[in-house]
Amino acid sequence: MAARSEEELKPGLDALATDAAVGFVGDLAAPGTAEEMLAAAVEAFGGVGFLVNNAGGGVIRPTLEHTEETLRATIDNNLWTMLRATLAVLPHLVERGGGRIVNIGAESVRNGLTSHAVYNAAKGGVHAFATGLAREFAHAGIAVNTVAPSYTLTPELAAAIEAGQVSAELQTVLDDAVALIPMGRPATPDEVAGTVAYLLRPEAGFVTGQVISVNGGSSMS
């Protein structure tokens, strides 16, 4: 598990509640960091069979209100982290004879959620890169898929809402997101994680090149 700081890393490691988990601190958008992460994982476990690209964030705001800084942050957090981690791990997976890559994309790429155009540019790149890789590396036994959640109510966001710490602008985005979901609620982190876990299981060995939405019906196909 990787994060930019010990403070960001600790909740994830605590949630795993196992001594088998290893944390890595670094900015995966920066050149060379992903290779350091891979080396740490290989040293700890002897090899790597799975990669889950779960980095994200960035800035959600109307398109014309973005600055050079917010554009770069949004693209770096969502696209460059995935690219660098995947390009670092792929040769290892090819050498070991196969593996799985699962990316966390976004349902907003399909449903055009309010103020998400720049974010969607980054996540759309995540979706497209994964489908291209799936075809290119299927012969190597590597399955590549994307899980695309709708608005997901994390514990941190729930606490911020409860404490009244969410801006009016963000609350409008969240309300619009729920309005697009026929089930009338956001996803839970466990619902998203369960889909990722399935894609890592032996039973999903024939699933590759897919974007699987966990979206309560906000888009259907």
Side-chain angles (χ1 to χ4, degrees):
M1 177 177 290
R4 286 194 175 94
S5 68
E6 294 286 356
E7 292 75 16
E8 293 174 312
L9 190 62
K10 187 176 185 304
L13 291 176
D14 289 347
L16 290 174
T18 173
D19 292 336
V22 173
F24 176 85
V25 175
D27 181 2
L28 290 175
T33 306
E35 287 77 8
E36 294 173 6
M37 178 188 69
L38 174 62
V42 170
E43 180 179 357
F45 303 112
V48 172
F50 307 136
L51 171 65
V52 178
N53 287 307
N54 190 36
V59 179
I60 304 299
R61 63 172 53 168
T63 302
L64 295 180
E65 294 180 11
H66 273 279
T67 65
E68 181 69 16
E69 181 180 358
T70 63
L71 287 170
R72 288 186 179 276
T74 304
I75 300 298
D76 282 354
N77 289 350
N78 293 284
L79 185 57
W80 272 111
T81 53
M82 181 278 302
L83 284 170
R84 294 198 191 281
T86 301
L87 293 173
V89 173
L90 261 175
H92 180 81
L93 296 181
V94 170
E95 184 177 355
R96 74 186 297 273
R100 308 283 174 85
I101 298 173
V102 179
N103 298 325
I104 302 300
E107 175 63 13
S108 60
V109 173
R110 298 179 66 192
N111 66 22
L113 184 60
T114 304
S115 299
H116 276 63
V118 171
Y119 177 80
N120 289 349
K123 285 299 191 183
V126 172
H127 292 200
F129 188 63
T131 54
L133 283 183
R135 187 172 295 277
E136 185 176 353
F137 288 91
H139 74 280
I142 300 171
V144 187
N145 294 286
T146 298
V147 174
S150 64
Y151 163 31
T152 302
L153 187 61
T154 64
E156 295 80 8
L157 180 56
I161 293 171
E162 181 69 21
Q165 297 172 344
V166 172
S167 69
E169 292 80 4
L170 178 55
Q171 189 61 58
T172 296
V173 172
L174 299 179
D175 291 343
D176 287 351
V178 171
L180 287 171
I181 300 173
M183 288 189 173
R185 66 170 179 85
T188 69
D190 284 348
E191 288 167 333
V192 179
T195 305
V196 174
Y198 162 71
L199 291 170
L200 300 178
R201 291 177 59 84
E203 294 87 343
F206 203 56
V207 180
T208 194
Q210 304 304 305
V211 177
I212 300 176
S213 292
V214 182
N215 65 12
S218 64
S219 63
M220 302 185 187
S221 62

